[in-house]
Short mmCIF file of all heavy atoms in Angstrom, two decimals:
data_model
loop_
_atom_site.label_atom_id
_atom_site.label_comp_id
_atom_site.label_asym_id
_atom_site.label_seq_id
_atom_site.Cartn_x
_atom_site.Cartn_y
_atom_site.Cartn_z
N GLU C 112 26.06 196.95 5.56
CA GLU C 112 27.36 196.27 5.53
C GLU C 112 27.02 194.79 5.64
O GLU C 112 26.53 194.33 6.69
CB GLU C 112 28.15 196.75 6.75
CG GLU C 112 29.56 196.25 6.85
CD GLU C 112 30.52 197.10 6.04
OE1 GLU C 112 30.32 198.34 5.97
OE2 GLU C 112 31.47 196.51 5.51
N VAL C 113 27.24 194.04 4.56
CA VAL C 113 26.84 192.63 4.58
C VAL C 113 27.83 191.81 5.41
O VAL C 113 29.04 191.94 5.28
CB VAL C 113 26.74 192.07 3.14
CG1 VAL C 113 26.44 190.56 3.16
CG2 VAL C 113 25.66 192.79 2.35
N ILE C 114 27.29 190.99 6.30
CA ILE C 114 28.12 190.11 7.14
C ILE C 114 28.46 188.87 6.29
O ILE C 114 27.56 188.27 5.69
CB ILE C 114 27.34 189.71 8.41
CG1 ILE C 114 27.06 190.96 9.25
CG2 ILE C 114 28.07 188.65 9.22
CD1 ILE C 114 26.08 190.77 10.38
N PRO C 115 29.74 188.50 6.21
CA PRO C 115 30.11 187.41 5.30
C PRO C 115 29.78 186.02 5.82
O PRO C 115 30.63 185.14 5.92
CB PRO C 115 31.63 187.60 5.12
CG PRO C 115 32.07 188.23 6.39
CD PRO C 115 30.93 189.07 6.90
N LEU C 116 28.51 185.85 6.20
CA LEU C 116 28.05 184.54 6.67
C LEU C 116 26.83 184.12 5.87
O LEU C 116 25.97 184.96 5.58
CB LEU C 116 27.63 184.62 8.15
CG LEU C 116 28.71 184.82 9.20
CD1 LEU C 116 28.08 184.99 10.58
CD2 LEU C 116 29.69 183.63 9.22
N GLU C 117 26.76 182.85 5.50
CA GLU C 117 25.54 182.29 4.92
C GLU C 117 24.90 181.52 6.06
O GLU C 117 25.46 180.55 6.58
CB GLU C 117 25.88 181.38 3.74
CG GLU C 117 26.63 182.14 2.66
CD GLU C 117 26.36 181.66 1.25
OE1 GLU C 117 25.96 180.50 1.08
OE2 GLU C 117 26.55 182.48 0.33
N ILE C 118 23.73 181.99 6.45
CA ILE C 118 23.04 181.44 7.62
C ILE C 118 21.97 180.48 7.10
O ILE C 118 21.00 180.91 6.47
CB ILE C 118 22.41 182.58 8.45
CG1 ILE C 118 23.49 183.62 8.80
CG2 ILE C 118 21.70 182.05 9.68
CD1 ILE C 118 22.99 185.05 8.82
N VAL C 119 22.17 179.20 7.33
CA VAL C 119 21.24 178.20 6.80
C VAL C 119 20.44 177.61 7.95
O VAL C 119 21.01 177.23 8.98
CB VAL C 119 22.00 177.09 6.03
CG1 VAL C 119 21.07 175.93 5.69
CG2 VAL C 119 22.61 177.67 4.75
N ILE C 120 19.13 177.57 7.77
CA ILE C 120 18.26 176.93 8.76
C ILE C 120 17.60 175.74 8.08
O ILE C 120 17.07 175.88 6.96
CB ILE C 120 17.16 177.88 9.26
CG1 ILE C 120 17.77 179.15 9.80
CG2 ILE C 120 16.26 177.19 10.26
CD1 ILE C 120 17.63 179.38 11.25
N ARG C 121 17.62 174.61 8.76
CA ARG C 121 17.03 173.40 8.19
C ARG C 121 15.92 172.88 9.11
O ARG C 121 16.14 172.72 10.32
CB ARG C 121 18.09 172.31 8.06
CG ARG C 121 19.29 172.73 7.22
CD ARG C 121 20.41 171.69 7.27
NE ARG C 121 21.65 172.25 6.74
CZ ARG C 121 21.96 172.28 5.44
NH1 ARG C 121 21.14 171.76 4.55
NH2 ARG C 121 23.09 172.81 5.03
N ASN C 122 14.76 172.64 8.53
CA ASN C 122 13.64 172.05 9.26
C ASN C 122 13.47 170.58 8.92
O ASN C 122 13.00 169.78 9.73
CB ASN C 122 12.34 172.81 8.95
CG ASN C 122 12.42 174.26 9.40
OD1 ASN C 122 12.76 174.54 10.55
ND2 ASN C 122 12.15 175.19 8.49
N VAL C 123 13.81 170.25 7.69
CA VAL C 123 13.70 168.88 7.18
C VAL C 123 15.04 168.58 6.50
O VAL C 123 15.60 169.45 5.81
CB VAL C 123 12.53 168.79 6.16
CG1 VAL C 123 12.49 167.42 5.49
CG2 VAL C 123 11.20 169.09 6.83
N ALA C 124 15.55 167.38 6.70
CA ALA C 124 16.87 167.05 6.13
C ALA C 124 16.81 166.96 4.61
O ALA C 124 15.90 166.36 4.04
CB ALA C 124 17.35 165.73 6.72
#
Side-chain angles (χ1 to χ4, degrees):
E112 185 84 35
V113 175
I114 297 169
L116 290 175
E117 301 212 336
I118 305 145
V119 170
I120 305 247
R121 303 172 194 275
N122 298 308
V123 174

